[in-house]
Amino acid sequence: MLSLNNIEVIYNDVILVLKGMSMEVPEGKIVGLLGSNGAGKSTTLKAISGLLKPEDGEVTDGGIVFKGEKIHHMDASDIVRKGIFQVMEGRRVFEHLTTEENLIAGGYTRSDGAQARADIEMVYEYFPRLKDRRHQTAGYLSGGEQQMLAIGRALMAKPQLMMLDEPSLGLAPLLVQEIFEIIKRINQEQGTTILLVEQNANLTLGVADYAYIMESGRIVLDGYPDDLRANADVREFYLGLTEVGSRKSYREVKHYKRRKRWLS
Amino acid sequence: MELFIQLTLTGLTNGAILALAALGFVLIYKASDVINFAQGEFLLIGGYVVYGMVAQFGLAWPLGMLITIAIAIGLGAVVERLVLRPLIGEPIISVIMVTIGLSSLLKAIVSTIWGNQPKAFPPFIPSTPVNIMGATIGADRLWAIVIAIVMLGLFTFFFRRSKEGIAMRAVADDQQAALSMGISVKKIFAWAWSIAAISASIGGALVANIVGVSQELSHFGLRVFPVVILGGLDSIPGAIVGGIIIGLLETYTGGYVGHGLNQVAPFAILILILMVRPYGLFGQEIIERV
């Protein structure tokens, strides 16, 4: 459905952030994109959704193809109309608007007014808590509620591909669980393809159908969640596990010598 | 008592017109953080265009008014396209400077077309005196109040209920997030400038109808500052309430206290209110969650 071929992204004409990044997102699946801070995960999403321009970034090489159409030179608003919706990192709700107004803004690109209003109810079914808060100013919602609102806004646009940028950021573990379950439900019930960017490797591998691991601007590993879980490097660097049973000790000098094999 | 009613009605007229002018100002500030120093010139243009349509071309005034609104939409869009869009991403202070330049330009255009002499306006709304509870007031002033209230009501409805209005407030809150939901920020800016031009030019037409057209009309733009600072730079209800407070304050001090003081009173009250509420009466507090 979506494929990135060897894309290169440069900020401010000098800073090379993505260095030949490639990945595939098949229709109807949940694809995870993992990586540490500064790996280029958010940049990848922005390159897809056309949000690089306001930050002075540019796709300088390679191509992004969505349903057979090149989209890497399109405006953000056209890309949303094509059916790609990015839920930005850090929730970014419209603070001075009410919950319901936020949802209406989410459905901005739709032309079917009556159906869009009905879909507000659908969002409330996924997130009953938002219904209680429908006339409240969004800036005063709790962090979890704001994240729900951010996802609800995306649902309002009826996207074919929903991209979530760190939905777990700053939330309590229980809430994160809840939100991941809803993401899974959205994927199953609405048939929305999902590209999930996360730092929380464990949870992501739990819901994803396929996952990529990114480091300094390119994909270094990819595979089915079960295979990745079994990979010794992934276990150590992303899941914080060592060989079964043994606790990690910093006394083992060996640890410092060990490097991620793909970095050499 | 008659004097009180008289002053109240006059104050409401001024206040309603001030509110119309302030509304556009607030809108531009809200959407793009730009302080538009050319707002007074929008008023000026509105006044002169209506004058041109009604007095020079002899059109019926509703038609003249519609054409003025159409020209205002065009003016707002042209200003946004030619002057502001190239400045996207530049420091806000540059953009504000540009609006000062714009105000000179618009003034010059008006004096090139219509000259510098003040002109009597053929009042399109008759100023037949109306008697209200002992006070006499021109019907034109009453109409100005009615028209201003209707316009303000329409704008409020637009921002609260319509999708475009909500999108506009969304852009004011977080441009990038708005962009991510497919809202075209450029289009919204063009809208903001057009609506600002519409509301100002309607205000201009109403003032012109009462006092005639002259370059003086643009000074109305300066009186907008106490209004918006009082109401809160980013609040639409604030612009309305602020306009009415300043309008009433000016006529009360003018009527009861005496000459000259009415120019000072709004600023004195302004300072007092800002001491208590630094973001204005209705200004948005920055939402902080702890």
Side-chain angles (χ1 to χ4, degrees):
Chain A
M1 182 187 218
L2 175 80
S3 65
L4 278 66
N5 302 314
N6 255 322
I7 60 165
E8 222 177 67
V9 167
I10 295 184
Y11 279 111
N12 290 322
D13 293 327
V14 278
I15 308 160
L16 181 64
V17 180
L18 295 189
K19 310 159 184 169
M21 154 97 193
S22 300
M23 70 184 293
E24 292 281 332
V25 182
E27 185 148 12
K29 303 283 186 203
I30 300 182
V31 172
L33 178 59
L34 295 166
S36 53
N37 281 329
K41 307 183 300 289
S42 297
T43 302
T44 307
L45 289 197
K46 284 178 191 159
I48 299 169
S49 61
L51 291 178
L52 280 179
K53 266 181 225 159
E55 298 187 347
D56 217 3
E58 199 189 348
V59 178
T60 50
D61 198 14
I64 301 173
V65 178
F66 180 66
K67 299 194 136 185
E69 199 176 351
K70 283 191 176 166
I71 58 166
H72 53 277
H73 291 305
M74 284 188 185
D75 267 346
S77 59
D78 294 327
I79 294 174
V80 174
R81 286 189 172 80
K82 294 260 174 261
I84 301 182
F85 197 103
Q86 178 181 358
V87 179
M88 292 173 76
E89 184 175 0
R91 317 191 269 267
R92 304 290 282 267
V93 297
F94 301 119
E95 293 186 331
H96 295 100
L97 271 60
T98 64
T99 304
E100 196 144 312
E101 286 169 343
N102 263 279
L103 293 176
I104 294 172
Y108 178 79
T109 47
R110 294 175 56 167
S111 43
D112 49 344
Q115 183 59 38
R117 290 205 182 264
D119 280 343
I120 293 183
E121 289 305 318
M122 171 200 65
V123 172
Y124 290 149
E125 264 165 49
Y126 279 104
F127 304 106
R129 243 190 284 181
L130 292 182
K131 188 161 190 170
D132 304 333
R133 305 248 188 278
R134 61 197 299 175
H135 296 302
Q136 246 179 44
T137 307
Y140 293 118
L141 299 180
S142 76
E145 288 160 351
Q146 288 191 352
Q147 186 62 59
M148 292 173 184
L149 181 54
I151 297 174
R153 250 181 353 192
L155 274 172
M156 285 299 295
K158 288 245 156 197
Q160 293 167 318
L161 171 64
M162 192 189 290
M163 306 194 291
L164 298 153
D165 198 349
E166 294 207 30
S168 73
L169 189 79
L171 300 184
L174 264 179
L175 257 172
V176 175
Q177 280 285 353
E178 194 182 329
I179 283 182
F180 271 63
E181 269 155 33
I182 290 172
I183 292 172
K184 187 130 196 142
R185 263 181 64 204
I186 290 172
N187 169 253
Q188 283 161 355
E189 295 170 12
Q190 311 286 324
T192 313
T193 310
I194 286 173
L195 174 55
L196 181 59
V197 161
E198 261 298 340
Q199 298 210 32
N200 188 330
N202 196 17
L203 269 168
T204 307
L205 293 179
V207 293
D209 296 301
Y210 198 81
Y212 290 84
I213 295 177
M214 215 182 157
E215 210 143 296
S216 25
R218 59 170 71 90
I219 298 292
V220 289
L221 251 187
D222 64 288
Y224 295 98
D226 291 341
D227 300 338
L228 288 177
R229 269 180 208 282
N231 182 300
D233 282 338
V234 175
R235 288 175 69 80
E236 171 150 5
F237 294 116
Y238 291 97
L239 300 173
L241 302 168
T242 45
E243 296 318 311
V244 190
S246 71
R247 276 184 61 195
K248 179 163 228 73
S249 163
Y250 289 97
R251 262 177 257 154
E252 292 170 32
V253 185
K254 218 174 133 198
H255 167 76
Y256 294 100
K257 284 192 180 151
R258 176 147 177 223
R259 293 187 46 154
K260 299 171 185 172
R261 271 167 244 166
W262 56 74
L263 281 186
S264 53
Chain B
M1 189 62 198
E2 273 111 63
L3 180 64
F4 177 75
I5 296 169
Q6 183 85 45
L7 291 175
T8 307
L9 288 172
T10 317
L12 280 179
T13 321
N14 291 347
I17 295 169
L18 275 175
L20 273 177
L23 184 81
F25 188 92
V26 164
L27 194 58
I28 289 175
Y29 181 79
K30 229 173 127 64
S32 56
D33 277 343
V34 171
I35 292 177
N36 177 22
F37 281 97
Q39 190 70 13
E41 280 65 30
F42 282 172
L43 242 87
L44 182 71
I45 293 215
Y48 269 101
V49 171
V50 176
Y51 170 79
M53 294 299 154
V54 178
Q56 294 176 316
F57 292 132
L59 297 176
W61 74 266
L63 187 62
M65 206 68 192
L66 277 181
I67 294 178
T68 309
I69 290 177
I71 290 178
I73 295 176
L75 175 70
V78 166
V79 166
E80 193 278 336
R81 187 68 244 244
L82 295 182
V83 183
L84 296 145
R85 200 174 296 178
L87 285 169
I88 286 181
E90 301 296 327
I92 287 294
I93 190 78
S94 324
V95 186
I96 295 174
M97 287 311 187
V98 166
T99 67
I100 297 180
L102 185 67
S103 75
S104 308
L105 179 71
L106 292 178
K107 235 186 256 175
I109 291 175
V110 167
S111 54
T112 314
I113 302 179
W114 284 285
N116 286 321
Q117 293 304 316
K119 292 191 167 66
F121 200 82
F124 56 84
I125 307 169
S127 56
T128 27
V130 182
N131 210 314
I132 298 174
M133 292 156 68
T136 21
I137 183 156
D140 50 351
R141 285 184 175 267
L142 289 180
W143 273 107
I145 298 179
V146 172
I147 292 176
I149 289 174
V150 169
M151 292 310 299
L152 293 172
L154 282 177
F155 283 129
T156 309
F157 180 81
F158 172 77
F159 288 118
R160 291 274 148 208
R161 313 299 294 180
S162 79
K163 203 169 76 171
E164 297 293 338
I166 290 173
M168 215 171 225
R169 286 164 54 218
V171 168
D173 244 14
D174 188 336
Q175 275 184 27
Q176 219 192 5
L179 210 57
S180 83
M181 41 220 54
I183 298 171
S184 162
V185 175
K186 291 176 205 160
K187 201 176 98 186
I188 295 288
F189 282 3
W191 268 89
W193 279 83
S194 291
I195 292 180
I198 294 174
S199 72
S201 58
I202 291 173
L206 293 177
V207 185
N209 183 58
I210 297 169
V211 299
V213 282
S214 70
Q215 293 272 344
E216 298 282 304
L217 272 182
S218 63
H219 295 335
F220 230 81
L222 280 183
R223 290 167 64 196
V224 165
F225 283 95
V227 172
V228 290
I229 296 171
L230 180 73
L233 268 173
D234 49 9
S235 164
I236 292 160
I240 300 172
V241 177
I244 289 168
I245 291 179
I246 298 281
L248 286 174
L249 209 64
E250 278 182 1
T251 47
Y252 285 155
T253 40
Y256 286 123
V257 188
H259 316 291
L261 211 66
N262 55 338
Q263 309 274 336
V264 185
F267 291 95
I269 296 291
L270 180 65
I271 292 171
L272 283 180
I273 289 181
L274 286 184
M275 277 171 13
V276 188
R277 291 181 67 89
Y279 31 79
L281 284 178
F282 296 89
Q284 281 174 345
E285 292 175 60
I286 296 161
I287 294 181
E288 269 181 279
R289 296 186 318 121
V290 186

